[in-house]
Amino acid sequence: MHYQTESWGSYLPAARPVGVLAGDPVERIERMAAESAVVIFSVSTCCMCHAVKSLLCGMGVNPTVHELDHDPRGKELEKALARLSGAPPSAAVPVVFIGGKLVGAMDRVMASHINGTLVPLLKEAGALWL
């Protein structure tokens, strides 16, 4: 598998506006999830996070990726993501939002891809044009 350097640039922690660090973690997640068409909450050393980023980038999507291990309040966000997604805290990431709506973890993204509903979701959110 070959990755272009430009694709990996989107994997850097996204810049956060002033004031986003404050407040309830769930509200912060909602604000961050609304930043772009596709948002992934990830941990840089997680293989499932890498897989979901590779899948979406391979489809031509340019997601905003928030690496929680690079965020000073990342653990707090991870716990909030686990509550939102219903996952155990040890399996809180990756979590994918498309069009500001929670899609879920890797299993939900892959199921959507396999059953053919992922591409229409991405198109509706403006993440794919073809």
Side-chain angles (χ1 to χ4, degrees), residues 5-58:
T5 309
E6 295 81 35
S7 296
W8 286 97
S10 64
Y11 284 28
L12 297 174
R16 291 169 182 83
V18 175
V20 171
L21 288 175
D24 176 55
V26 173
E27 289 175 9
R28 183 173 174 219
I29 288 166
E30 289 170 352
R31 283 192 306 268
M32 294 164 80
E35 289 179 346
S36 66
V38 179
V39 177
I40 302 171
F41 291 91
S42 172
V43 171
S44 61
T45 57
C46 169
C47 63
M48 296 307 260
C49 296
H50 173 76
V52 79
K53 290 183 277 193
S54 295
L55 170 70
L56 292 169
C57 287

Side-chain angles (χ1 to χ4, degrees), residues 2-120:
H2 175 72
Y3 294 96
Q4 294 178 353
T5 309
E6 295 81 35
S7 296
W8 286 97
S10 64
Y11 284 28
L12 297 174
R16 291 169 182 83
V18 175
V20 171
L21 288 175
D24 176 55
V26 173
E27 289 175 9
R28 183 173 174 219
I29 288 166
E30 289 170 352
R31 283 192 306 268
M32 294 164 80
E35 289 179 346
S36 66
V38 179
V39 177
I40 302 171
F41 291 91
S42 172
V43 171
S44 61
T45 57
C46 169
C47 63
M48 296 307 260
C49 296
H50 173 76
V52 79
K53 290 183 277 193
S54 295
L55 170 70
L56 292 169
C57 287
M59 295 174 75
V61 174
N62 187 21
T64 298
V65 179
H66 295 283
E67 299 290 3
L68 299 180
D69 53 331
H70 298 162
D71 188 310
R73 292 178 62 192
K75 287 291 180 195
E76 189 179 312
L77 291 175
E78 246 182 288
K79 289 176 188 172
L81 285 165
R83 285 194 311 269
L84 282 173
S85 67
S90 61
V93 292
V95 176
V96 177
F97 287 81
I98 299 176
K101 296 178 186 135
L102 174 65
V103 173
M106 181 67 176
D107 60 337
R108 300 255 176 140
V109 174
M110 286 304 294
S112 296
H113 181 52
I114 290 166
N115 72 23
T117 58
L118 182 60
V119 169

